[in-house]
Amino acid sequence: MNTELTPTEPPQKGRSDLTSIASIGTGNMGTALIKGIMSADEKLDVRATTNSAASAKALAEELPSAAITSLEDDAGANRKAAAGADFVFLGVKPWMMADTVADLAPSLDANTVLVSMAAGVAIADLATLAPKNKIVRIMPNTPSAIGHGVIALAPSAEVDETTVDTLRTLLSGAGLVVALDETEIPAMTGISGSGVAYFFLLAETMIAAGVKMGLSEETAKQMVVATADGAGRLLSEKPDPSAQRQAVSSKGGTTLAGLQTFIDAGLFDIAEAAAQAAGNRSLEMEKENSQVING
Ligand SMILES: NC(=O)C1=CN([C@@H]2O[C@H](COP(=O)(O)OP(=O)(O)OC[C@H]3O[C@@H](n4cnc5c(N)ncnc54)[C@H](O)[C@@H]3O)[C@@H](O)[C@H]2O)C=CC1
Ligand SMILES: O=C(O)[C@@H]1CCC=N1
């Protein structure tokens, strides 16, 4: 039995015949996306970077077949990871994009495609930072980690169809890939990129309600999580939310009493306002980041 704690070197690391991806800034979203991509395609050369050595160590446990490095250990980690990669996924915070891409750009191969997942950083501004590279903007969400994400894909005009197809295939390991125009990204962010958190918030509020009504927290959580899972799966099999809602609602029964409470409290307006707020913030961030990038 092999009792060594250090994982053995996977065969794909560094192989030049494989599609190579570099994930620059691999935190919550970057990790989720790369996990989804890697779970569907084992034949990838994956390099990933983080800021601290501690987060790189934790990431290496999550992605054992990827080559993980940190800026804390090596100030050139991003440049080395991106060298010669087919796709460089940019997963740093939006306000860090300017410095990160400016540092990377001079050493990038001209064939490398930059794939930004940042909210609120426009393709035109990324192109200013990396003028010799093709740019794709994506907006994923965190269920990408388990292959159930939604990933909006907005390539810039100069990205050829073969490249888009390759990227689409890679991303489809992380979930549903939907091609959009960049102008549609704020709406997508409002209902899906950020929208997944609204479902989590609803789950939190339902658990709290269950506890107030006398259930133990553990029981309430177990039930709400399983209810969300069941609702999601049913909706996925029969994608008609209105029909599913009506199937639960008996005339004069409990469900209509609950639903009416949501409607009376303005749920439709609240959901629209929430989606708008996220979408508007995305556009505001585009302006803020554009000013930083263009001076
Ligand atoms: N969290 C989410 O659900 C979503 C996030 N996004 C976008 O993804 C990007 C990352 O967001 P999160 O993952 O939530 O943030 P995060 O803070 O979890 O991850 C950022 C990562 O960047 C690393 N980092 C910091 N400075 C670095 C540098 N100079 N070089 C390399 N790595 C560096 C950090 O170690 C960390 O691992 C943002 O641009 C955000 O707009 C997009 C869609 C959904
Ligand atoms: O909150 C944010 O800005 C990021 C983008 C979409 C989801 N999370």
Side-chain angles (χ1 to χ4, degrees):
M1 190 171 67
N2 181 0
T3 53
E4 275 182 41
L5 291 177
T6 318
T8 47
E9 190 85 351
Q12 63 264 39
K13 263 188 194 170
R15 267 182 50 185
S16 60
D17 55 326
L18 302 176
T19 300
S20 52
I21 61 179
S23 170
I24 304 300
T26 317
N28 289 314
M29 194 59 245
T31 305
L33 197 65
I34 297 300
K35 258 188 167 175
I37 290 173
M38 289 178 79
S39 66
D41 186 349
E42 292 172 356
K43 292 189 173 158
L44 291 170
D45 168 16
V46 179
R47 313 101 184 235
T49 68
T50 65
N51 190 37
S52 73
S55 58
K57 191 165 176 266
L59 186 62
E61 277 162 30
E62 287 207 71
L63 305 175
S65 64
I68 316 286
T69 48
S70 76
L71 289 205
E72 193 184 336
D73 282 336
D74 177 358
N78 287 346
R79 291 189 293 272
K80 287 176 191 161
D86 296 308
F87 295 97
V88 170
F89 287 85
L90 299 165
V92 295
K93 290 289 190 191
W95 59 88
M96 299 185 63
M97 202 56 95
D99 284 350
T100 306
V101 180
D103 169 64
L104 274 182
S107 60
L108 288 174
D109 277 11
N111 289 332
T112 295
V113 178
L114 290 183
V115 184
S116 167
M117 67 190 78
V121 185
I123 291 174
D125 293 319
L126 291 162
T128 301
L129 295 165
K132 63 175 199 258
N133 292 92
K134 292 180 177 141
I135 315 275
V136 178
R137 186 169 167 191
I138 61 171
M139 178 48 60
N141 65 11
T142 52
S144 295
I146 53 166
H148 288 277
V150 179
I151 305 110
L153 176 71
S156 60
E158 63 272 19
V159 183
D160 60 85
E161 259 181 49
T162 312
T163 304
V164 173
D165 285 348
T166 307
L167 184 58
R168 180 188 270 279
T169 304
L170 279 176
L171 291 170
S172 63
L176 173 73
V177 183
V178 184
L180 290 184
D181 188 82
E182 188 182 20
T183 56
E184 297 172 302
I185 293 268
M188 186 282 175
T189 306
I191 63 164
S192 184
S194 294
V196 67
Y198 314 159
F199 286 92
F200 297 141
L201 180 66
L202 183 62
E204 289 177 66
T205 63
M206 301 292 283
I207 293 165
V211 171
K212 265 205 169 165
M213 290 171 76
L215 297 173
S216 74
E217 178 147 12
E218 195 192 347
T219 302
K221 192 189 243 181
Q222 201 180 26
M223 286 176 170
V224 168
V225 168
T227 302
D229 185 40
R233 284 175 196 244
L234 193 56
L235 202 51
S236 169
E237 271 187 29
K238 296 183 177 162
D240 184 344
S242 171
Q244 294 302 343
R245 171 176 55 77
Q246 285 171 48
V248 190
S249 308
S250 309
K251 198 173 172 210
T254 62
T255 311
L256 285 179
L259 289 172
Q260 196 58 48
T261 310
F262 276 123
I263 289 162
D264 289 348
L267 183 66
F268 283 87
D269 290 341
I270 291 171
E272 187 185 325
Q276 288 279 7
N280 290 343
R281 181 63 195 133
S282 166
L283 291 170
E284 264 172 28
M285 285 161 67
E286 277 188 25
K287 282 198 191 127
E288 291 164 11
N289 288 309
S290 187
Q291 273 166 7
V292 172
I293 292 165
N294 296 298

